[in-house]
Amino acid sequence: MALAGSDSMEEGKGETFLLKAIKIGGVVVLYWFISITMVFLNNYLLDSKDLDAPLFVTFYQCLVTVGLCYGMHLLSHLCPGVIDFPSVKFDLKVCREVLPLSIVFIGMITFNNLCLKHVGVAFYTVGRSLSTVFNVLLSYVILKQTTSFYAILCCGIILGGFWLGVDQEGVAGSLSWMGVFFGVLASACVSLNAIFTKRVMPAVDGNIWKLSFYNNINACILFLPLILVFGEVGHLVHFSRLGDPTFWGMMTLGGVFGFAIGYVTGLQIKFTSPLTHNVSGTAKACAQTVIAVVYNQSSKSFLWWTSNLMVLGGSSAYTWVKGMEMKKVHIPQEESKEKLLGEKSDAGV
């Protein structure tokens, strides 16, 4: 999704350095604001003592995303010069093809929310830190892709930070093993989600917004029996604020932020690079942790902060290592292309 006229960075070639810096800074700030606000908002919704229905909260956010996708589709037809959004007409065949990813997607967002519910925002970064480790492990098991020694070393630092964090939460008396368990499952699902996304992309013509539309439709359907099985209907019936517009406003806002994070993530990658986006995400997680500790007026030990730095440092180092490895692969390919073009030119082709 994009505003008309913002599709190409080529248009910005004549811009001054200051204007470019302001634009990039604005996009990064927007990404941080939406991402951090979404985490705190979800924590508020899931931490409610009156409503113990995390599956319903997640289901409703998926429903909002479906509605927003269809709404943007209609707006793109009404305002073609202003809104650019792909056609998202329902197709049962595409739904079936996306279904394997949707099952993993349900696990990812459900375990994410359950982890957040049990551990809170401050420990959330560490509790959900094993995604990179699972990326390496599952890429080898499923895709048969090997990983360099330096990348594995970074994973070792992340694992060390994770265990130190769990230990320090235990020392502080605030450890939730259930939250840690859900965090590990969420990390595994995040990695599987990336693998399955690549596989089903051709079914939606490589369009991430079509994928989001069908993924969330499947999720809404699959969540319904889960809500019944886990007895959340009873909690909803006895919930005192079920008719409160403020409650539904916060629920809807959570869904809007969930939809918006997809857009601002793409926007940040577009205005910077995938590597810079990952670094920004790591810095955002650090800021998010600090905000949570300050907001809750918590007192954390030196080793607790060390665990966070190990996780964030290991994640940043892994991103840098993979970026350097990709450059090493890319440069020889470019050189071989130039050499081939040169040979063709010499031969008069």
Side-chain angles (χ1 to χ4, degrees):
M1 180 181 69
L3 294 176
S6 65
D7 292 331
S8 176
M9 291 298 288
E10 297 295 323
E11 295 174 6
K13 282 187 175 179
E15 294 175 351
T16 63
F17 173 77
L18 179 61
L19 186 58
K20 285 181 182 178
I22 291 172
K23 278 187 176 182
I24 291 171
V27 168
V28 172
V29 168
L30 183 64
Y31 168 77
W32 278 40
F33 170 75
I34 288 177
S35 182
I36 292 174
T37 304
M38 183 180 71
V39 171
F40 276 91
L41 185 57
N42 279 341
N43 181 244
Y44 166 78
L45 292 168
L46 295 163
D47 201 35
S48 172
K49 292 179 175 60
D50 297 327
L51 179 63
D52 184 20
L55 293 176
F56 173 75
V57 171
T58 312
F59 157 78
Y60 185 79
Q61 290 179 346
C62 291
L63 192 64
V64 170
T65 298
V66 172
L68 286 171
C69 282
Y70 193 73
M72 293 304 299
H73 157 72
L74 293 177
L75 283 174
S76 68
H77 285 283
L78 294 172
C79 312
V82 179
I83 302 294
D84 177 26
F85 199 85
S87 176
V88 287
K89 293 178 182 178
F90 180 78
D91 187 329
L92 188 59
K93 181 175 177 291
V94 176
C95 270
R96 284 199 300 266
E97 291 177 353
V98 175
L99 185 59
L101 171 65
S102 301
I103 294 169
V104 175
F105 174 72
I106 282 179
M108 181 181 73
I109 57 178
T110 300
F111 294 136
N112 259 331
N113 282 347
L114 287 171
C115 174
L116 184 59
K117 176 183 173 66
H118 287 278
V119 304
V121 179
F123 190 63
Y124 181 62
T125 299
V126 174
R128 264 265 289 99
S129 63
L130 298 184
S131 299
T132 301
V133 177
F134 277 111
N135 274 340
V136 171
L137 182 63
L138 294 174
S139 292
Y140 178 74
V141 172
I142 298 174
L143 304 177
K144 308 302 178 186
Q145 293 178 353
T146 56
T147 307
S148 69
F149 169 76
Y150 290 111
I152 292 173
L153 189 63
C154 295
C155 290
I157 295 170
I158 295 169
L159 273 171
F162 174 79
W163 285 117
L164 181 60
V166 170
D167 175 71
Q168 289 304 297
E169 281 287 299
V171 170
S174 55
L175 177 65
S176 167
W177 280 109
M178 189 67 75
V180 172
F181 175 67
F182 286 133
V184 172
L185 288 178
S187 299
C189 287
V190 167
S191 180
L192 283 171
N193 188 72
I195 292 170
F196 276 87
T197 295
K198 290 179 182 178
R199 290 185 174 182
V200 304
M201 266 297 187
V204 291
D205 305 319
N207 191 288
I208 195 69
W209 289 111
K210 281 187 179 180
L211 181 63
S212 178
F213 177 72
Y214 284 107
N215 217 4
N216 281 278
I217 283 179
N218 284 342
C220 288
I221 296 168
L222 294 171
F223 265 125
L224 290 174
L226 291 174
I227 290 169
L228 290 170
V229 169
F230 285 94
E232 291 193 359
V233 174
H235 292 293
L236 289 168
V237 170
H238 296 100
F239 182 48
S240 60
R241 295 178 59 199
L242 200 61
D244 186 357
T246 303
F247 167 74
W248 288 107
M250 295 296 282
M251 287 277 284
T252 303
L253 193 61
V256 171
F257 272 91
F259 174 82
I261 193 65
Y263 175 58
V264 294
T265 296
L267 202 63
Q268 182 169 245
I269 292 171
K270 173 185 166 183
F271 275 83
T272 57
S273 68
L275 178 62
T276 305
H277 166 68
N278 286 333
V279 172
S280 173
T282 303
K284 186 273 306 180
C286 182
Q288 181 176 285
T289 301
V290 172
I291 292 169
V293 171
V294 172
Y295 178 77
N296 294 320
Q297 297 180 337
S298 306
S299 178
K300 301 296 183 183
S301 67
F302 172 76
L303 287 177
W304 188 91
W305 286 108
T306 301
S307 72
N308 276 267
L309 290 175
M310 286 177 69
V311 164
L312 296 170
S315 300
S316 296
Y318 178 85
T319 300
W320 181 79
V321 167
K322 296 303 286 185
M324 294 301 291
E325 289 175 358
M326 288 176 68
K327 279 185 179 179
K328 286 180 181 177
V329 173
H330 181 68
I331 291 171
Q333 288 178 344
E334 290 297 316
E335 288 176 350
S336 63
K337 283 181 183 178
E338 289 176 5
K339 185 178 178 182
L340 181 62
L341 288 171
E343 289 174 355
K344 286 184 177 181
S345 178
D346 292 339
V349 177

